[in-house]
């Protein structure tokens, strides 16, 4: 069973059954964090995103699509930063393959909230 996360609403959906297949992809923020899950993976892939880009995309989505206030989104980013350092970033050491996502151009908070 799997509970998909809906990025439009920011909430988990109802559980759905997942059928076994020759290829199963498990993704999420904590996929490589749990050793019991890692033991079943043939390949662990870690995607590291530039912090400025990550903040830009979160601001763009939350302000423009979810209609949240800029200050509230920035506060949420700051409040969650220690969790990222503690739980997310260490997973890179458990990965067999790592990718780094970098911005092609500068990404400022001001651009994020004006791109509608």
């Amino acid at each position: 069973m799997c509970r998909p996360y809906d990025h439009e609403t920011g909430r988990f959906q109802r559980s759905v059954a997942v059928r076994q297949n020759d290829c199963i992809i498990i993704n999420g923020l904590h996929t490589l964090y749990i050793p019991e899950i890692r033991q079943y993976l043939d390949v662990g892939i870690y995607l590291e995103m530039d912090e400025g880009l990550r903040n830009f995309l979160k601001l763009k989505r939350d302000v423009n699509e979810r209609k949240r206030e800029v200050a509230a989104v920035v506060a949420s980013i700051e409040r969650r930063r220690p969790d990222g350092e503690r739980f997310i970033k260490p997973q890179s050491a458990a990965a067999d393959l790592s990718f780094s996502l970098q911005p092609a151009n500068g990404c400022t908070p001001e651009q994020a909230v004006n791109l509608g």
Side-chain angles (χ1 to χ4, degrees):
M1 297 300 287
C2 173
R3 288 187 63 207
Y5 181 78
D6 185 334
H7 284 277
E8 288 190 24
T9 64
R11 298 183 186 278
F12 284 97
Q13 298 175 340
R14 289 187 174 165
S15 293
V16 294
V18 178
R19 294 182 332 146
Q20 184 175 350
N21 204 335
D22 290 336
C23 179
I24 297 174
I25 297 174
I26 304 170
N27 71 347
L29 286 176
H30 304 286
T31 303
L32 298 176
Y33 184 76
I34 302 169
E36 292 82 8
I37 292 177
R38 287 197 311 257
Q39 72 179 346
Y40 294 107
L41 303 178
D42 292 323
V43 178
I45 300 172
Y46 182 80
L47 177 61
E48 180 180 18
M49 185 181 296
D50 172 80
E51 284 299 308
L53 178 59
R54 189 180 66 77
N55 294 341
F56 171 85
L57 294 172
K58 182 164 179 53
L59 272 164
K60 182 176 185 241
R61 181 196 65 204
D62 287 0
V63 171
N64 296 324
E65 296 173 22
R66 295 183 180 169
K67 306 303 180 199
R68 299 208 173 117
E69 296 293 324
V70 173
V73 177
V74 170
S76 171
I77 290 169
E78 289 303 316
R79 187 174 57 252
R80 294 178 180 183
R81 188 175 312 279
D83 287 339
E85 295 293 328
R86 182 175 175 195
F87 299 109
I88 307 303
K89 290 186 179 182
Q91 293 179 68
S92 65
D96 300 300
L97 181 62
S98 293
F99 291 98
S100 178
L101 193 58
Q102 301 291 322
N105 300 311
C107 299
T108 66
E110 293 79 16
Q111 291 171 321
V113 296
N114 291 322
L115 289 177

